[in-house]
Amino acid sequence: MMGKIVWVLLVVLLLVQAVLAIDGVSVDRLNIWPMPHSVSHGRESLFLSKDFELNTEGTKYNDGSGILKDGFSRLLDMVRVAHVVDGNFSKIDTSLLLQGLHVVVLSADGQLQYGIDESYKLSVPASGKPGYAYLEAHTVYGALHGFQTFSQLCLFNFTARVIEVPMVPWTVIDQPRFFFRGLLIDTSRHYLPLPVIKNVIDSMAYAKLNVLHWHIVDAQSFPLEIPSYPKLWDGAYSVSERYTFADAAEIVSYAQRRGINVLGEIDVPGHARSWGIGYPSLWPSKDCPEPLDVSNNFTFKVIDGILSDFSKIFKFKFVHLGGDEVNTSCWTLTPHVKKWEETFNNFGNKLSRKTVVHNWLGAGVAEKVVAAGLRCIVSNQDKWYLHYLDATWQQFYMNEPLTNITNPNQQKLVLGGEVCMWGEYIDGSDIEQTIWPRAAAAAERLWTPYDNLAKDPRQVTGRLAHFRCLLNQRGVAAAPLAGLGRVAPEEPGSCYTQ
């Protein structure tokens, strides 16, 4: 008799699991990425009405630039995931229809800058006549994050052929752990066409990354137009692999409308061989083309001109000056530069308190930087360099920016972190699958409160797989989780199991 009862209970459990499964994925599991600060849900379902609308009654943000309106339009595209929504809405009880999303932004200021309030509160009711989901944010950029989360609550119902919001009612209270959550792209080692860069920006927004670090130029090429010194882009690979000044401004605007700052970088004094193609006097000598000739006043005039032009485009609080891998042998071997050596040896002994140190190298650097009272951004290459294909998403997820930093005042000096997509071995053909889904693992580390992060990456495998498949559905070429970076699917099967 006991065996029969157990068997009956097992059948009931299997039936419950079957009811909860949609396309083989359990909807009883939270599939939000990155995990919010606080989230609760129910077990009912609602459906988006045919004319699902944006309601901004009571908001203080006038949206003169259309950032909120455009974000809502993108939200509709995201939840449809390119399906044709042609269900018969007349057969759905009106109490089960969400008529729209009511958005209230508490600040009238639409300026995007470091440290802005990106928090939001999202609630979706269980029913109502008419029913509205409600989103409140201090800034329009917090509202954009709320749009991203709402989009992940929705799915296309293939039976009713409408957009469903399962597991209502929802309540999400959210804010980022770090203000700086970055992704570096490198357009010097390989030129990245403008549509490719814009696609990367779109995918960053899906994961709530908020800084595009644009490593524009390097030793190999100088693709950006600098109006003050127009011969600099003679160092581009070709006449077509260039960005005009207006192109760069367009990238900054495109990113800003998605809540993403663009951090422009001019890498000095090393990595500057390409500068001398147009202006050879920037080289210490013809046989020693880098680092820049720091004994030449013209070098500083060019740098000043670049920074002046940068300030007209890049409105972010920070400008990145590179400064890494400076091989000084050309200076010591070139007589007219060698006379300058004493000043150089003293340079940098006492960094300005305004300086932010970018931790490129391995572990242990960040704790020394903050102990010295300087601010830091973490990108340690052993864990967060995307072009290292043997670095797995699990390593990306478990890389903690505050490792060994226990002093609360020193913890505040860690602004956040950044994953780096150096361009030696990628171009427009494979950049997306090299970035994703590993960058998403770091994105959760940077967004989600520490206590909400998984202590074992196996706990988030299914949820990250779901996000990776969501990226694919949105047209982002994110690679499978299984294996190393940028792997191909091993065999036929569901996206959710790869």
Side-chain angles (χ1 to χ4, degrees):
M1 184 68 176
M2 182 61 69
K4 185 175 182 180
I5 293 174
V6 172
W7 183 83
V8 171
L9 287 174
L10 178 61
V11 171
V12 171
L13 286 172
L14 290 172
L15 288 173
V16 170
Q17 290 176 353
V19 170
L20 292 176
I22 296 180
D23 292 337
V25 181
S26 172
V27 299
D28 197 35
R29 184 178 66 222
L30 291 181
N31 282 322
I32 305 173
W33 195 280
M35 181 61 72
H37 186 277
S38 172
V39 58
S40 64
H41 66 90
R43 301 183 67 83
E44 301 180 38
S45 285
L46 293 179
F47 304 91
L48 269 58
S49 70
K50 184 178 181 180
D51 300 313
F52 189 76
E53 65 177 5
L54 172 65
N55 183 331
T56 58
E57 182 180 355
T59 191
K60 294 182 180 180
Y61 179 71
N62 64 19
D63 198 32
S65 61
I67 290 176
L68 192 67
K69 181 181 177 182
D70 289 350
F72 183 76
S73 178
R74 293 194 300 273
L75 166 64
L76 295 180
D77 289 338
M78 286 188 288
V79 299
R80 290 169 182 152
V81 287
H83 292 295
V84 177
V85 180
D86 60 355
N88 189 344
F89 287 90
S90 64
K91 292 185 178 181
I92 301 176
D93 190 320
T94 56
S95 67
L96 299 179
L97 288 175
L98 274 176
Q99 303 299 324
L101 181 58
H102 185 182
V103 179
V104 173
V105 178
L106 301 178
S107 172
D109 186 6
Q111 183 179 7
L112 178 65
Q113 194 47 268
Y114 172 80
I116 63 163
D117 192 322
E118 297 176 271
S119 65
Y120 67 91
K121 298 177 182 178
L122 173 66
S123 61
V124 184
S127 61
K129 293 185 178 181
Y132 279 80
Y134 183 79
L135 174 61
E136 179 182 288
H138 284 275
T139 68
V140 65
Y141 303 106
L144 294 181
H145 291 316
F147 286 167
Q148 294 296 337
T149 298
F150 183 81
S151 75
Q152 294 190 38
L153 305 184
C154 302
L155 57 85
F156 182 77
N157 185 307
F158 282 88
T159 301
R161 301 191 184 190
V162 297
I163 306 301
E164 179 183 356
V165 187
M167 301 170 64
V168 298
W170 285 97
T171 300
V172 179
I173 302 174
D174 206 5
Q175 64 184 41
R177 180 186 177 200
F178 292 104
F179 286 126
F180 190 107
R181 307 178 306 280
L183 166 67
L184 177 148
I185 61 171
D186 174 4
T187 57
S188 173
R189 275 58 179 262
H190 284 97
Y191 177 83
L192 295 175
L194 292 167
V196 172
I197 297 177
K198 289 182 175 181
N199 289 343
V200 169
I201 291 170
D202 286 336
S203 63
M204 289 176 65
Y206 300 152
K208 298 186 174 71
L209 294 175
N210 71 340
V211 178
L212 177 69
H213 177 175
W214 190 0
H215 184 87
I216 306 174
V217 304
D218 210 292
Q220 291 81 3
S221 73
F222 198 115
L224 179 65
E225 177 185 26
I226 300 296
S228 297
Y229 291 91
K231 291 183 179 180
L232 282 171
W233 73 349
D234 287 357
Y237 284 126
S238 69
V239 293
S240 62
E241 293 172 292
R242 290 175 170 178
Y243 307 103
T244 68
F245 203 59
D247 290 339
E250 166 63 17
I251 289 297
V252 171
S253 174
Y254 189 90
Q256 182 260 338
R257 297 180 68 81
R258 286 151 181 79
I260 296 172
N261 282 295
V262 178
L263 170 61
E265 180 183 346
I266 167 180
D267 195 349
V268 292
H271 293 258
R273 178 190 298 261
S274 62
W275 298 36
I277 303 299
Y279 298 99
S281 63
L282 292 171
W283 291 340
S285 72
K286 185 183 298 184
D287 299 324
C288 249
E290 63 181 7
L292 296 173
D293 184 349
V294 291
S295 70
N296 186 348
N297 286 335
F298 180 65
T299 298
F300 294 95
K301 289 182 180 179
V302 172
I303 293 173
D304 184 64
I306 293 173
L307 292 176
S308 176
D309 287 347
F310 263 38
S311 68
K312 299 170 186 175
I313 297 177
F314 301 104
K315 303 302 181 181
F316 192 37
K317 180 178 182 179
F318 305 109
V319 172
H320 205 294
L321 296 178
D324 64 319
E325 299 177 340
V326 180
N327 185 339
T328 60
S329 60
C330 276
W331 287 340
T332 58
L333 292 174
T334 307
H336 71 274
V337 181
K338 188 175 182 179
K339 295 177 182 178
W340 198 77
E341 184 178 0
E342 182 178 348
T343 305
F344 175 77
N345 287 338
N346 293 327
F347 184 77
N349 286 345
K350 293 183 179 180
L351 290 173
S352 164
R353 299 297 95 179
K354 295 181 180 180
T355 303
V356 177
V357 177
H358 197 162
N359 168 205
W360 299 112
L361 302 177
V365 176
E367 58 191 281
K368 295 176 183 177
V369 171
V370 298
L374 291 169
R375 293 172 295 172
C376 183
I377 295 168
V378 175
S379 288
N380 45 314
Q381 61 181 274
D382 56 329
K383 295 295 191 297
W384 276 359
Y385 270 26
L386 289 157
H387 67 296
Y388 290 169
L389 299 184
D390 57 348
T392 65
W393 74 262
Q394 291 93 337
Q395 292 172 303
F396 274 71
Y397 190 89
M398 297 306 294
N399 188 38
E400 171 52 45
L402 298 184
T403 297
N404 297 328
I405 303 174
T406 57
N407 183 311
N409 291 327
Q410 293 181 4
Q411 289 179 342
K412 293 176 182 178
L413 295 175
V414 179
L415 306 186
E418 174 181 294
V419 292
C420 300
M421 184 65 271
W422 296 107
E424 285 90 343
Y425 307 108
I426 65 98
D427 60 13
S429 70
D430 57 2
I431 186 171
E432 289 184 356
Q433 59 263 46
T434 313
I435 293 174
W436 307 106
R438 292 180 299 162
E444 177 154 297
R445 175 66 52 173
L446 293 168
W447 177 276
T448 302
Y450 180 81
D451 290 341
N452 290 6
L453 292 165
K455 302 306 180 277
D456 185 332
R458 289 177 294 184
Q459 296 173 301
V460 304
T461 301
R463 187 161 52 85
L464 182 56
H466 187 275
F467 183 70
R468 176 253 168 173
C469 296
L470 184 65
L471 291 176
N472 283 179
Q473 291 167 10
R474 294 177 179 179
V476 180
L481 269 66
L484 303 178
R486 205 170 70 200
V487 296
E490 293 183 354
E491 57 187 18
S494 168
C495 173
Y496 299 99
T497 60
Q498 295 174 346

